[in-house]
Each structure stands twice: as C-alpha cells, then as structure tokens.
Amino acid sequence: MGPRRGMVALTATVVGTLIAASFAGSYGWLLAALALAGIGQALANPATNVLVRARVPAPADGDAIGYKQAGVQVSALLSGLVLPAVAAAHGWQWALRVSAAAALVVAATIPWVRAPAPHPAPPKRPPLPGWLLRLALFCFVLATANAAVATYLPLFAAQDLGYRPRVAGGVLACFGLAGVAGRIWWTRRTARRESRPAALLTPLAALAALSTVPLVLATLPHLGALVWAGALGVGSFAVAAYAIAMLDVVRNTTTGTGRASGVVSVGFFLGFAVGPVSFGLVADHAGYRAAWSAVAAVLVLATVAGLPFRRV
C-alpha cells in the first residue's frame, strides 16, 4: 500500500467508526464500531515505521520514532483534559464526534507527506527471525499491563477514590503527559547509544513495575493521592518501552519494515485485548488493590521477557 495510502485508510476508518459509535444504541453496536476502529488502528505503526525507515537516517530516527509514538500519549493527554468536559456538558456522543473531527484534521495533512512509492511484496517471504518473535512476546506482556493502566486509571480515580469526572480525567491526562515526555526522552537517549535499542527494555519494564507500587498503596485509606505518582511513573517507563521496541524494529529491518512492525503490533494489540478484560475481572471479584498488584506482576514478567535483549 505504501505509507501514505495506509495513513489515509487509517484516518478514514477511525473517523467512520467514531461517528458510528456516537450513534450506538446498544452495547453490542458500540463494540462492533470499536472493533472496526481497531482494524484501522492496525495500520498505524506499519505505515509510519516504513515512512521513518525510508526518510530518516540514524541517529535522527530516534527523535522521529519518539515524536511519532508520543502522538499516542498526546491523544491520552487531550482526551483526559477535553472529553470528560464535553461529555459532561453535551453527552458522550458529542465527545466521540469531537474525536472524529480531530481525526479529520489529521487526514487533511496527509497529502503533504513525502512518502516512498509502494513496491510489490516478494513472491516468497523469508521466515520471521527469532528476535522479532521475542520482541512481539515482550510487547504482548507489556501491553497487557499498559492497557489495564490506561483504561482503568480514570475509573479507579472516580469509582474508588471519589474524584469528580474532570479530576479523574486529569489523572489520565497526567499519564499521557508522562508518556509523551518518556517516549521522546528515552528514544532520543537510546538512538545515540552504541548498544541495540532493545537492550533498554528490561530496565524500563523493571522501573514500570516499581511505579505500580503507588497505585497499590493508593487503595489504602488517606493514600489516594499516590495515584498521581503511579500515573507519572507507569507513563514514563511502560509507555516508553513500546517506543523503544518500535525503534528496534526500524533499526534492525532493512527490508520488510511494514511486515516486521505488523508482527510486533500483533503482540501489542493482543495485550491490549487481554489486559482490560483481565483487570476488570480481578477488580470486580477481588478489588482494585488485587488488580493493581496483578499489573505489577505482569510488568515483572515483562522485565523477564526483555532479558534476552540484554545480551545483544
């Protein structure tokens, strides 16, 4: 497809599904719309990674990946600041339509993207290298924890800590702001190191695991304010680790960058599917303290999953 067509397909799908979701009359309709949005979302990293690989030489590719991946956290920041207020004033349907309008603004910039021409895929694709599958496994474990945190931070703040919706949205915005800073800072630092980017995955996952301690403690009486520290810590480290994984893909695939990005994204999005559902089940049956402790355990597993890259 090439990166430009991929980004057009991405934004068109997102706009259409956000508008469809805003008219959802049932939970099933809402789920169907979001499933279609996920299909478009799958194009994001393959399209943009191909573009970075073709247009940005090292070490500047570290900055490019950092800013690109930080865009996800900018959306979390803006969503946390803007959408609760829109939903409170005009209903959640209009909050979704505001998001669709933002995607249309992005779509208007795509014609100015200097993208390489698409080329046909080779008739016989080589087998996937072992390091790529290990990276996909790491991203699956990481995203299982990351998605749970991103999904449940505002609900925990509102439901368990008693924060007003706008303040609870501010907790998510804090998480997003930390993710922006973390992705830009860590990818910039990593791009200038002689070692492979993936060598930093284990330290980042370990720091993210430590950052869940304030979330566990926030469930105790009079310690709810620690939720802000947990949002900052997990946003700074767990969110940054995925950007480092994407930089590793761009650096270590001379051809087939789109395919390699897709493989790693499969692991990441599987984690995004598993994490919120699992967290919700634990929270419903055992409470938020047990659920945040489970997130900490998953991040410890991510630390272990990243160990093979410490030796490369």
Side-chain angles (χ1 to χ4, degrees):
M1 294 179 68
R4 182 182 290 161
R5 290 179 183 174
M7 286 187 283
V8 169
L10 164 63
T11 52
T13 305
V14 168
V15 169
T17 52
L18 283 172
I19 292 174
S22 75
F23 288 99
S26 67
Y27 185 59
W29 187 355
L30 183 62
L31 287 181
L34 294 177
L36 290 175
I39 295 172
Q41 192 84 313
L43 290 162
N45 276 315
T48 53
N49 283 353
V50 167
L51 187 63
V52 171
R53 175 70 191 176
R55 295 296 185 194
V56 187
D61 57 352
D63 287 346
I65 292 292
Y67 285 113
K68 172 179 87 71
Q69 298 296 139
V72 180
Q73 303 314 121
V74 170
S75 73
L77 171 64
L78 294 177
S79 296
L81 291 175
V82 176
L83 297 185
V86 175
H90 303 289
W92 65 268
Q93 294 92 341
W94 278 104
L96 287 172
R97 291 163 194 164
V98 167
S99 299
L104 279 174
V105 173
V106 174
T109 69
I110 294 175
W112 283 271
V113 173
R114 294 179 59 246
H119 55 81
K124 187 175 182 180
R125 294 179 177 179
L128 297 171
W131 69 265
L132 189 63
L133 297 176
R134 289 192 293 272
L135 193 60
L137 174 63
F138 171 86
C139 286
F140 166 71
V141 181
L142 177 76
T144 299
N146 206 0
V149 175
T151 303
Y152 281 94
L153 265 179
L155 184 62
F156 169 64
Q159 188 178 60
D160 208 61
L161 303 181
Y163 287 5
R164 296 190 307 276
R166 293 185 185 184
V167 179
V171 176
L172 180 62
C174 178
F175 174 79
L177 184 61
V180 170
R183 284 186 162 179
I184 293 173
W185 194 85
W186 283 106
T187 50
R188 178 173 293 180
R189 180 179 178 185
T190 305
R192 287 156 177 79
R193 291 164 55 102
E194 292 184 3
S195 60
R196 183 171 167 176
L200 270 180
L201 294 179
T202 282
L204 286 173
L207 289 169
L210 288 174
S211 299
T212 59
V213 173
L215 295 177
V216 176
L217 294 177
T219 62
L220 298 174
H222 311 299
L223 294 178
L226 288 175
V227 69
W228 298 93
L232 280 171
V234 178
S236 298
F237 303 121
V239 174
Y242 184 58
I244 297 298
M246 287 293 104
L247 178 59
D248 196 76
V249 169
V250 170
R251 284 276 178 92
N252 290 283
T253 51
T254 54
T255 58
T257 303
R259 181 191 182 202
S261 301
V263 169
V264 175
S265 295
V266 165
F268 191 74
F269 283 116
L270 280 175
F272 255 70
V274 170
V277 174
S278 302
F279 187 103
L281 288 172
V282 175
D284 281 348
H285 289 90
Y288 275 105
R289 189 179 308 166
W292 291 129
S293 299
V295 169
V298 171
L299 287 169
V300 170
L301 288 177
T303 303
V304 174
L307 285 175
F309 297 102
R310 297 288 290 169
R311 298 188 291 271
V312 296

